[in-house]
Amino acid sequence: MNYEEKMLLFNQNRFGIYVHFGLYSLLGRGEWTMYSERIPAKEYAKLADSFNPKPGCAEEWVETAVAAGAKYMVLTTRHHEGFSLFDSKYSDFTSVKYGCKRDIVREYVDAARKAGLRIGFYYSLLDWRFPGYFEPEKYPESKEALLKQIFGQVRELMTNYGKIDILEYDGGWDAKLRLDRPQWAEFWHAAELNAMVRELQPDIIINDRSGKDEDIETPEQVVKSGVQRMTESCMCIGDSCTWGYVRFNPNWKTPEQLIQHLVQAAQLGGNYLLNIGPCPDGSIRNEELERLQIVGGWLKENAEAIYGSQRCELIGASQPGLVDLNLQGPWTRKDNIGYWCIFRWGGSQATAVLVGTPVKKVTLLANGRDYPFDWDAKTGKLKIYDLPILPPDPLCSVIKVEFSDVPRRMEETDLADWING
Ligand code: GLC
């Protein structure tokens, strides 16, 4: 597959579920606890004996992802704490040697593959147990040992689990927080590492967090369009500071917010990776489960507006350099069809402006009915009539508009023209 084909497939999948699960889940204070509380490695390692997720938890994650309408998943195979959820010749600090003595990555891969989901691995380059990460000059042997672990483990992950679709590195930043990406890449030997990955998994998608650009950008907690590459915006359902399980986690996003993020990611031509942080026993907390089920219910009805959609240039589908917006909501598109995703329903009439392509038909996805409309070729104003007064879908109602060609935004040669009609 070439880059375009890979990205097309990636966009068709559009929506993924991220799973942050590790020893930190047992503490309930987020995945950074070891470092933020500076817990010495030996002491932290004691947690491993109590790592005992209930059998079948990976299947539960997969079932939830399917119910949410996600087409792929990404699991933290090893986070910054260094505990691997897979069998490894390069580390004994694994879920196979301690606690439950199971290969959680294998359980996840098997379940996801069976459900037809595409498979992503998150892998942290940094490992807080190695002084050589923090002070490479002072502890050169430890840095070498860390690199040996990385190369060995990434090879294991790319070899032992069949076809892997996405590799998401993390923790590639410099311990002293110098913003020099080429230097990060050099530190991790990213060129060599990624060449090995591509040899083992020729069609894989790799993110840019090793310092080397590769295929996708993965901004956190915000929906963004990529500067040069495809974007996968990743986000938490609860409070944004942690991804792993936090027992008392306030500020859960509403299903409306989650759907709006997904739509925004789609209208920018990118993907949305929504995170869950399973409980210590691997189960998914109700706050996350309920929201994902609601998102899935909405996606079922509105699938065609989201999976595999393309950027649309009509107002409300943000265009780089344009400040215009349609306050009701953005557009996505598939070839000649525009999908106006209305977050703020305006009642029985909807008006879109600067529509430069003739309109053939207007349908509401929520009820499958067609609605009368006027399109003025001169002004580009599209008025849709007799719509329901109340939002037909309280979460986000999608108006499907069939155009005679790819919908174009009408150019405004005189910005003041509209004032006098
Ligand atoms: C960050 C954090 C990490 C989290 C990740 C998710 O880089 O260090 O805890 O796993 O982003 O993308």
Side-chain angles (χ1 to χ4, degrees), residues 19 21-22 51-59 61 75-77 83-87 94-96 100-111 121 161:
V19 183
F21 192 54
F51 185 74
N52 197 11
K54 62 176 186 188
C57 64
E59 277 157 35
W61 306 337
L75 169 69
T76 52
T77 62
F83 188 65
S84 304
L85 300 187
F86 55 98
D87 197 12
T94 74
S95 62
V96 177
C100 63
K101 302 213 163 61
R102 283 159 36 208
D103 186 327
I104 304 296
V105 169
R106 168 117 19 235
E107 293 178 14
Y108 151 68
V109 169
D110 288 350
F121 285 165
Y161 299 91

Side-chain angles (χ1 to χ4, degrees), residues 157-357:
L157 288 169
M158 295 298 113
T159 312
N160 297 343
Y161 299 91
K163 184 170 186 298
I164 304 305
D165 302 290
I166 307 170
L167 174 61
E168 309 251 8
Y169 292 118
D170 190 26
W173 61 84
D174 172 273
K176 300 203 165 72
L177 298 181
R178 283 170 296 223
L179 275 177
D180 183 348
R181 287 175 49 81
Q183 207 189 318
W184 304 358
E186 205 182 300
F187 186 93
W188 303 113
H189 298 214
E192 201 189 323
L193 184 64
N194 292 341
M196 175 186 86
V197 169
R198 292 203 188 279
E199 205 184 307
L200 296 166
Q201 297 282 346
D203 290 334
I204 201 162
I205 289 171
I206 306 179
N207 76 349
D208 65 347
R209 293 198 193 176
S210 64
K212 204 168 166 292
D213 290 348
E214 302 295 345
D215 303 314
I216 56 169
E217 294 173 26
T218 53
E220 291 179 13
Q221 315 296 11
V222 32
V223 177
K224 259 199 196 161
S225 118
V227 183
Q228 275 146 3
R229 287 169 302 280
M230 195 60 77
T231 298
E232 182 197 52
S233 301
C234 45
M235 227 183 253
C236 298
I237 304 183
D239 241 355
S240 296
C241 51
T242 59
W243 302 75
Y245 176 69
V246 172
R247 187 153 171 234
F248 300 106
N249 195 16
N251 302 326
W252 294 99
K253 294 181 184 70
T254 62
E256 286 86 345
Q257 285 174 304
L258 300 176
I259 290 168
Q260 290 183 13
H261 292 148
L262 174 59
V263 170
Q264 281 156 356
Q267 66 131 344
L268 293 169
N271 279 19
Y272 187 48
L273 184 65
L274 186 55
N275 179 71
I276 54 172
C279 306
D281 71 350
S283 59
I284 301 175
R285 63 196 302 166
N286 283 337
E287 292 91 336
E288 293 178 337
L289 193 62
E290 286 164 1
R291 284 165 175 79
L292 290 178
Q293 285 166 344
I294 295 174
V295 171
W298 180 84
L299 256 175
K300 224 184 207 157
E301 303 301 319
N302 299 283
E304 58 178 284
I306 302 297
Y307 303 108
S309 63
Q310 303 144 310
R311 273 178 187 254
C312 177
E313 61 178 56
L314 297 179
I315 290 186
S318 28
Q319 292 292 302
L322 287 180
V323 284
D324 239 341
L325 77 162
N326 184 310
L327 289 174
Q328 283 185 268
W331 291 78
T332 64
R333 176 179 71 84
K334 222 176 257 170
D335 304 323
N336 294 356
I337 297 176
Y339 296 95
W340 191 3
C341 304
I342 304 203
F343 300 158
R344 290 165 283 271
W345 189 253
S348 58
Q349 186 176 314
T351 305
V353 299
L354 299 180
V355 176
T357 310

